[in-house]
Amino acid sequence: MLTSYIAATPAFADGTDTPRAFLERCLERVAAREKDILAFVETAFDRARQEADAATARWKAGSQRSTIDGMPIGVKDVIETIDMATGMGSPLFTGWRSGRDSASVMALRSAGALILGKTVTTEFAASFPGPTRNPHDLARTPGGSSSGSAAGVAAGFFSAGLGTQVVGSIVRPASFCGVYGMKPSLGGINRLGSHDFMSQSCQGVLAASLADAWQVLTEIASRAGGDPGYPGLVGPALLPSARRPRRLVFLETTGWPLLSEAVKAQMSEALDKLRSAGIEILGRSDNPEVEAVEKAITTSLEVTRLINAWESRWPLNIYRERDASKLSKDMRERSAEAENLTQAQYRRALEKRASIRAAYAKLAQVADGCVTLSAVGAAPIGLDSTGNPAFAVPGSLLGVPALNLPVLNEAGLPLGLQLMGYEQQDADLFALARTVETVVGVA
Amino acid sequence: MLTSYIAATPAFADGTDTPRAFLERCLERVAAREKDILAFVETAFDRARQEADAATARWKAGSQRSTIDGMPIGVKDVIETIDMATGMGSPLFTGWRSGRDSASVMALRSAGALILGKTVTTEFAASFPGPTRNPHDLARTPGGSSSGSAAGVAAGFFSAGLGTQVVGSIVRPASFCGVYGMKPSLGGINRLGSHDFMSQSCQGVLAASLADAWQVLTEIASRAGGDPGYPGLVGPALLPSARRPRRLVFLETTGWPLLSEAVKAQMSEALDKLRSAGIEILGRSDNPEVEAVEKAITTSLEVTRLINAWESRWPLNIYRERDASKLSKDMRERSAEAENLTQAQYRRALEKRASIRAAYAKLAQVADGCVTLSAVGAAPIGLDSTGNPAFAVPGSLLGVPALNLPVLNEAGLPLGLQLMGYEQQDADLFALARTVETVVGVA
């Protein structure tokens, strides 16, 4: 039920469709399914309707503010909004109002986008899950931490949702919910005004198509830039043209042994299709640089966890002091673990991360990008875990752009193919993704 | 009236002095002079007295929490505190409570330090000044933006004040008020929980002595680390031993032509003293790398202003939308300037900054560090400007540690000598500073 806004916009100019009518179709789906899916924490439908009318008038007059003028968007509830509370998935922040829009939300509004509501996040965008269910099977997790943004796109509630990723929080729920998901290069999208302060954290997007994902990212970046000190995402004003890669690296990661035989077979089939299209696939046995990367990234989760724990020592210590009973057991354990770490351990972890990044950077001489899975399988049953991050965590640690394409499945449930690119080459990753999507085919 | 806490601590162990008595002496000075100096926005003296009693008991029992257990500290009012509002020097934030301590304040409290109050900052730590006056001459500015922290140390209200610097906001007020001031290497001190988000921003300290400055920094860093992704300040548990530099670079910066003849003569005299102590001084005419750095840093202010403007586009746009009448004319102009910038201009400024940093980094092969002035003269008369930042801005742009030594004067008013070191070599800069302070002599 993916509902691309970008695909609808040509009809806005000739009057056969309108942003207001598009919004109403979204709201009908919300009315029908939100009671089961629980993607939203809070909504702002009245404001959205008013703004959709204004966008309708602008498109008719040919004076739309941007390519996403009138697009309905969900905002992960760690990202601040002036008109809605920012609850962070924590009882410590229920109803907390920052009194401002984040840099990204401010940019989206100035591009004319409609902020439909705040979407469910795990506690502080970490692992303790919220109530959201997977639209493809209500008994299953939508993944996390950007749970509501992924589920909302999958259910056709909105065309794009803002998310954040520090381990697997965009790529994994995108895979489980069968939507497009893009974690940009480190610093690609300004994350000021978001509870998203770790050194691997990125703000990104879950979306109904590659075009919706690209337009949201580029409309934010051109107005709000990237993180302070980073050049920020750049590229063409419209979705980059398809580019056929000469070579792609296939990465097994630590996730490969965890796959079912059926998923392994599907991945092999996808690789065969790429080969048939004239794209050379390099695996660990084909090239020493690939083998070096495979070895280097085996520690991705361990290094990421140590870095994240040290970097979240504060504010967890202050939250714990305020009211420890309002932190999940998970979070209290993470805080205790953080208090046992030393600055020296953290420095060693940073050095380790730098060496893994250096190994990966060498691949740029070898291939146009990497292809792997986005998750170890379809969304698991139950809402108590957001799933294994084995395939998503390397992209987070490496700081490179990572994109989920919803082109595979396991027993009829969505499963994503993941493309990983090189730092600052986000636009090129979209160009490659267009080719890969066409070759492998939509699920 | 500099009142070192570290110098007093030996007497706490033998009972001839106590943290509570130290605090009461500070509070007597506050009672006598705060009505004229206006260093504080809000105070927490009752809590401080209770905590001073607890610290007194710990020192007597030999179980003090740290080297700064019981130290009275002022906190610049852009840094969050759980028990006091964080007003940011802006009517938009008067009375605003974040409900938490910043990472640095949390660390200071866990080390036993007393947070005496919030100190006056310019509007959002930029240029529009607050009411604070210079303790050495009430008709003069204390400098800014860390105005209250500098004036409070100078008046003996507290032994150390937290400050932040993105242009000249620690080094300049330290110079004007005759106190020690240290802006660490980029990322040296964790600035989470502070309105201090720009890529050149640093949290640092104004203090009554080198020892007070070092102990505050190291007690924070060992508990809260540096900024996420940065190794953070490291060094010995106690003030590094003095080290005599073999060579120092003398930097004129763009400030030299603005100096009075008397100040130039004093600077020359200081350099002569260093030479007499066997330290070689390299100027721009002595060495091509020094000349290259002098040329490169001429654009420091221009590049810094462009970078800061783009990076503060948000939140200024959201503040302007909320209530433009509550922003100073200065800030509204800065916001308008920011809105006219493009991401491409910002990227070019980042590249320019990187090239200036690369030129400076070569000096590490040439000399142990750099010496220059901290300001173009003593504090100017009037409270409407916080003074010229010509000497302080290169250290901010370069991201290197910069330290003000209060060892010069202009017509009896304080003027500082500035030492600049190399990235991550903060401890070594303290070691050099001990030698330079002894050789040049206390003002």
Side-chain angles (χ1 to χ4, degrees):
Chain A
M1 201 28 167
L2 300 183
T3 53
S4 167
Y5 189 77
I6 299 302
T9 53
F12 298 161
D14 66 26
T16 52
D17 194 5
T18 68
R20 176 62 191 263
F22 189 95
L23 173 64
E24 292 301 334
R25 297 195 294 275
C26 289
L27 295 180
E28 279 165 27
R29 290 183 286 267
V30 172
R33 300 202 64 200
E34 169 62 5
K35 65 182 186 302
D36 293 324
I37 293 173
L38 303 169
F40 287 111
V41 182
E42 187 175 346
T43 58
F45 296 158
D46 288 347
R47 177 172 177 175
R49 284 190 165 106
Q50 283 171 27
E51 291 176 356
D53 286 340
T56 294
R58 288 191 293 266
W59 278 97
K60 273 186 186 154
S63 62
Q64 61 274 16
R65 285 190 191 163
S66 76
T67 59
I68 60 169
D69 195 357
M71 180 191 272
I73 288 180
V75 174
K76 184 176 181 177
D77 201 27
V78 292
I79 300 169
E80 298 173 27
T81 43
I82 196 167
D83 55 340
M84 289 175 273
T86 301
M88 321 246 188
S90 164
L92 278 168
F93 280 84
T94 305
W96 179 72
R97 286 171 180 275
S98 72
R100 62 185 189 185
D101 284 330
S102 74
S104 53
V105 169
M106 177 80 191
L108 287 173
R109 291 202 207 266
S110 104
L114 319 176
I115 308 301
L116 219 53
K118 300 301 282 286
T119 59
V120 169
T121 171
T122 60
E123 181 188 30
F124 298 121
S127 50
F128 187 76
T132 309
R133 292 166 172 177
N134 193 313
H136 292 271
D137 179 348
L138 298 177
R140 293 173 191 266
T141 178
S145 64
S146 308
S147 318
S149 285
V153 172
F157 294 173
F158 37 75
S159 301
L162 290 187
T164 64
Q165 175 166 322
V166 63
V167 179
S169 288
I170 290 174
V171 166
R172 179 179 47 189
S175 179
F176 289 171
C177 291
V179 306
Y180 296 78
M182 173 72 176
K183 180 207 87 72
S185 292
L186 200 62
I189 292 293
N190 193 329
R191 60 189 153 113
L192 292 175
S194 166
H195 185 94
D196 181 25
F197 50 84
M198 287 179 263
S199 62
Q200 286 182 199
S201 292
C202 272
Q203 202 165 122
V205 68
L206 300 109
S209 76
L210 282 176
D212 290 77
W214 176 256
Q215 294 314 134
V216 166
L217 292 175
T218 192
E219 298 290 0
I220 295 174
S222 62
R223 288 168 177 80
D227 289 337
Y230 288 82
L233 180 135
V234 282
L238 299 176
L239 180 63
S241 304
R243 179 171 90 79
R244 200 181 70 167
R246 209 173 135 238
R247 283 202 196 119
L248 290 175
V249 163
F250 163 57
L251 287 178
E252 295 185 354
T253 83
T254 59
W256 192 253
L258 308 175
L259 300 176
S260 69
E261 290 309 312
V263 169
K264 282 184 184 172
Q266 233 191 111
M267 185 69 211
S268 297
E269 193 190 329
L271 294 175
D272 283 342
K273 286 182 185 172
L274 293 168
R275 284 190 196 95
S276 302
I279 301 164
E280 189 183 347
I281 304 292
L282 289 180
R284 59 192 310 165
S285 56
D286 303 319
N287 181 292
E289 261 96 35
V290 176
E291 175 63 15
V293 168
E294 287 280 17
K295 279 190 180 159
I297 62 175
T298 55
T299 56
S300 293
L301 189 59
E302 176 194 335
V303 173
T304 291
R305 282 194 169 145
L306 196 153
I307 287 174
N308 289 352
W310 174 264
E311 291 176 355
S312 56
R313 204 175 201 206
W314 182 96
L316 290 187
N317 50 12
I318 193 79
Y319 296 161
R320 204 183 55 225
E321 198 168 271
R322 209 155 85 184
D323 188 350
S325 74
K326 288 187 173 155
L327 293 174
S328 68
K329 182 164 166 288
D330 235 41
M331 204 50 87
R332 289 197 303 272
E333 281 169 9
R334 180 188 283 235
S335 179
E337 183 195 335
E339 294 299 324
N340 283 328
L341 291 174
T342 64
Q343 200 184 0
Q345 283 175 290
Y346 176 67
R347 291 168 73 106
R348 282 196 296 275
L350 288 184
E351 284 163 17
K352 180 89 184 165
R353 183 169 73 182
S355 76
I356 302 172
R357 288 180 178 175
Y360 184 86
K362 289 186 187 161
L363 290 186
Q365 306 307 317
V366 172
D368 299 276
C370 299
V371 59
T372 184
L373 286 157
S374 292
V376 300
I381 292 175
L383 301 181
D384 54 335
S385 157
T386 55
N388 187 312
F391 281 103
V393 67
S396 291
L397 176 127
L398 292 166
V400 298
L403 206 162
N404 179 68
L405 289 174
V407 294
L408 306 178
N409 69 82
E410 183 177 35
L413 288 164
L415 178 61
L417 195 68
Q418 184 182 191
L419 294 178
M420 285 160 56
Y422 303 107
E423 218 188 324
Q424 312 301 338
Q425 305 301 314
D426 300 59
D428 190 55
L429 193 66
F430 274 86
L432 301 181
R434 291 185 75 170
T435 303
V436 172
E437 183 181 30
T438 308
V439 169
V440 178
V442 178
Chain B
M1 201 30 165
L2 300 184
T3 52
S4 166
Y5 190 76
I6 300 302
T9 52
F12 299 160
D14 66 27
T16 52
D17 194 4
T18 70
R20 175 64 191 261
F22 189 95
L23 172 65
E24 292 300 335
R25 295 195 296 273
C26 289
L27 294 181
E28 279 166 26
R29 291 184 285 265
V30 172
R33 300 205 63 200
E34 170 60 5
K35 65 181 185 305
D36 294 324
I37 293 174
L38 303 169
F40 287 111
V41 181
E42 187 176 347
T43 57
F45 296 159
D46 286 348
R47 178 173 174 172
R49 283 188 164 108
Q50 281 170 29
E51 292 177 356
D53 285 340
T56 294
R58 288 191 294 266
W59 279 98
K60 272 187 187 152
S63 61
Q64 61 275 16
R65 285 188 190 166
S66 76
T67 58
I68 60 168
D69 195 356
M71 179 192 272
I73 288 180
V75 174
K76 184 176 181 177
D77 201 27
V78 292
I79 300 168
E80 298 173 25
T81 42
I82 198 165
D83 54 340
M84 288 175 273
T86 301
M88 318 248 191
S90 165
L92 279 168
F93 280 84
T94 305
W96 179 72
R97 287 172 179 272
S98 72
R100 62 186 190 184
D101 285 329
S102 74
S104 53
V105 170
M106 179 79 191
L108 286 173
R109 293 202 206 266
S110 103
L114 319 177
I115 308 302
L116 218 53
K118 299 303 280 285
T119 59
V120 169
T121 172
T122 59
E123 182 189 27
F124 297 122
S127 50
F128 186 76
T132 309
R133 293 166 170 178
N134 193 313
H136 293 269
D137 179 349
L138 296 177
R140 293 173 190 264
T141 177
S145 63
S146 308
S147 316
S149 285
V153 171
F157 294 173
F158 37 75
S159 302
L162 290 187
T164 65
Q165 174 165 323
V166 63
V167 180
S169 288
I170 290 173
V171 165
R172 179 179 47 189
S175 180
F176 289 172
C177 291
V179 308
Y180 296 79
M182 172 73 175
K183 181 205 87 70
S185 292
L186 200 62
I189 291 293
N190 193 329
R191 59 190 155 113
L192 293 175
S194 167
H195 186 93
D196 180 25
F197 49 84
M198 286 179 264
S199 63
Q200 286 182 196
S201 292
C202 273
Q203 202 166 124
V205 68
L206 300 110
S209 75
L210 283 175
D212 290 75
W214 177 257
Q215 294 313 135
V216 166
L217 292 174
T218 192
E219 298 290 0
I220 294 173
S222 62
R223 287 169 178 79
D227 288 339
Y230 287 81
L233 179 136
V234 282
L238 298 176
L239 181 64
S241 304
R243 179 171 89 79
R244 200 181 69 168
R246 205 171 136 239
R247 283 201 196 118
L248 289 175
V249 163
F250 163 57
L251 287 178
E252 294 185 353
T253 83
T254 59
W256 190 253
L258 307 175
L259 300 176
S260 70
E261 290 308 313
V263 169
K264 283 184 183 172
Q266 233 190 109
M267 184 71 210
S268 299
E269 192 189 330
L271 294 175
D272 284 342
K273 285 183 186 171
L274 293 168
R275 284 190 195 96
S276 302
I279 301 164
E280 188 183 348
I281 304 292
L282 288 181
R284 59 192 310 164
S285 57
D286 303 319
N287 181 291
E289 262 95 36
V290 175
E291 175 64 12
V293 168
E294 288 279 17
K295 279 189 178 159
I297 62 174
T298 54
T299 56
S300 294
L301 190 58
E302 177 194 335
V303 175
T304 290
R305 280 193 171 146
L306 197 154
I307 288 174
N308 289 352
W310 173 265
E311 292 176 354
S312 55
R313 206 172 198 211
W314 184 94
L316 290 186
N317 51 11
I318 193 77
Y319 295 161
R320 203 183 56 224
E321 197 167 272
R322 209 156 82 184
D323 188 349
S325 75
K326 287 187 173 156
L327 293 175
S328 68
K329 183 165 164 288
D330 235 42
M331 203 50 86
R332 287 196 305 271
E333 282 169 8
R334 180 188 284 235
S335 179
E337 185 196 334
E339 294 298 323
N340 284 327
L341 291 175
T342 64
Q343 201 184 0
Q345 285 175 290
Y346 175 66
R347 291 167 72 104
R348 283 196 296 275
L350 289 185
E351 284 163 16
K352 180 90 185 163
R353 182 170 73 182
S355 76
I356 302 172
R357 287 179 180 176
Y360 183 86
K362 289 185 187 160
L363 290 187
Q365 307 306 317
V366 173
D368 299 277
C370 299
V371 59
T372 185
L373 285 157
S374 293
V376 300
I381 291 174
L383 301 181
D384 54 335
S385 156
T386 54
N388 187 312
F391 281 103
V393 67
S396 290
L397 177 126
L398 293 166
V400 298
L403 206 163
N404 178 70
L405 290 175
V407 294
L408 305 178
N409 69 81
E410 184 177 34
L413 288 165
L415 178 61
L417 195 69
Q418 185 182 189
L419 295 178
M420 286 160 57
Y422 302 107
E423 218 189 323
Q424 312 301 337
Q425 306 299 315
D426 301 58
D428 190 54
L429 193 65
F430 274 86
L432 301 181
R434 291 185 75 170
T435 302
V436 172
E437 183 181 31
T438 308
V439 169
V440 178
V442 178

